[in-house]
Amino acid sequence: RKSKYPAMRVVHFEEVQRLLSGGGHSALLVDFRSLPEREVSVLPGSLPVAEFQADASGLVLAFDVIIAHCTVGGRAGEACEVLLDSAEAAGVDHFLLAERLVVFEGGLVSWAHAGMDFVDPTTGRSTRKVHAWCREIANMFPVGMGYELLLSEGLDSSSRPFLQCESERRLATLMGRAARGRLQWFPSVLPVTAPEAVESAAGGARVIFVDVRTAKEREVSTIPGALRPEDFVMQANQHVEDTNVSLIVVFGTAGVKRAGGWCI
């Protein structure tokens, strides 16, 4: 969370384990997730954020490190900045809180990847049930390690800004990789982004989409009106000579190897 929450220090699973095991420091886990999430399972010894806020001044003095966590770290990092901003008004030493408060980056997801159990707050017993918050985050949990993931029916409003930011970050990463791959393998192929293709089509020009993925992939879904490669090839001359056609967009899943290779 360094880029999004520059004021916050982050720790990862190995450091969290070291802090919780003692090592000369006393540490407190604070859970920033919602009640429905905590009712499924919690990290051992964690304290709900509401209980922490009720005695923040005392707990900051009692523990050397306050470890804030959620499912992956985004909500905890954002909430910690709010805590710091409102510390003085809540009667908490701002500088002491800033010194001791850290964000567990990776949160429950990294805990699971390390093969660790959670705790059922009702029984106090170990469990591998965990609330994954939403489907996008559920995909980050490990597979084949016995975890049972629960999901909410819908997303609350607090989840959307984080998911939007994460989506944009992933898209930027994908675009960067695609650009590097194109320059390496197919430098002569002209790239086009989805917004550019949509804008051309909306402007009245005809845009032809050619889906070079496998038949099984296309059976699941494709871009409306997209042609199969063989269908395009059968009428290639007609499409190329059509003055109303402004773009012929060839695409795969990420648009690099298969699409670029087919164009070549």
Side-chain angles (χ1 to χ4, degrees), residues 68-240:
H69 85 83
C70 56
T71 312
V72 291
R75 288 178 290 173
E78 190 171 52
C80 283
E81 290 196 328
V82 175
L83 274 181
L84 288 174
D85 290 341
S86 59
E88 294 296 343
V92 181
D93 187 319
H94 173 87
F95 294 103
L96 188 60
L97 180 63
E99 181 182 87
R100 299 187 174 184
L101 185 63
V102 298
V103 176
F104 180 5
E105 187 169 58
L108 271 62
V109 172
S110 63
W111 190 270
H113 275 278
M116 305 292 287
D117 286 342
F118 299 97
V119 174
D120 184 325
T122 303
T123 64
R125 296 176 180 174
S126 294
T127 181
R128 292 227 158 180
K129 282 188 178 181
V130 57
H131 197 299
W133 189 40
C134 64
R135 195 167 302 280
E136 290 83 351
I137 302 302
N139 292 332
M140 299 181 185
F141 278 86
V143 176
M145 294 177 66
Y147 292 102
E148 181 181 347
L149 306 181
L150 279 71
L151 297 172
S152 296
E153 290 299 322
L155 298 178
D156 59 44
S157 60
S158 67
S159 67
R160 298 188 185 280
F162 170 75
L163 291 179
Q164 178 65 29
C165 177
E166 185 67 11
S167 176
E168 291 173 356
R169 183 188 68 79
R170 291 184 182 185
L171 178 60
T173 300
L174 173 63
M175 295 296 286
R177 289 176 179 173
R180 290 192 295 273
R182 185 186 64 81
L183 289 174
Q184 179 179 354
W185 296 309
F186 315 109
S188 62
V189 176
L190 178 68
V192 62
T193 64
E196 289 169 343
V198 171
E199 184 179 353
S200 294
R206 188 180 174 206
V207 178
I208 296 176
F209 291 95
V210 182
D211 189 344
V212 297
R213 298 174 305 150
T214 64
K216 287 187 176 180
E217 291 174 283
R218 293 195 299 268
E219 285 174 2
V220 176
S221 62
T222 187
I223 292 175
L227 299 177
R228 298 179 303 169
E230 54 269 34
D231 293 335
F232 175 82
V233 170
M234 288 178 61
Q235 298 181 331
N237 290 337
Q238 179 181 336
H239 294 313
V240 172

Side-chain angles (χ1 to χ4, degrees), residues 28-91:
L28 174 67
L29 276 168
V30 180
D31 193 337
F32 281 77
R33 298 176 303 147
S34 65
L35 177 60
E37 293 171 276
R38 296 197 305 272
E39 287 177 339
V40 176
S41 62
V42 297
L43 294 185
S46 64
L47 191 70
V49 63
E51 293 184 25
F52 171 77
Q53 289 175 311
D55 188 26
S57 57
L59 291 170
V60 170
L61 290 172
F63 291 91
D64 298 317
V65 185
I66 309 294
I67 306 171
H69 85 83
C70 56
T71 312
V72 291
R75 288 178 290 173
E78 190 171 52
C80 283
E81 290 196 328
V82 175
L83 274 181
L84 288 174
D85 290 341
S86 59
E88 294 296 343

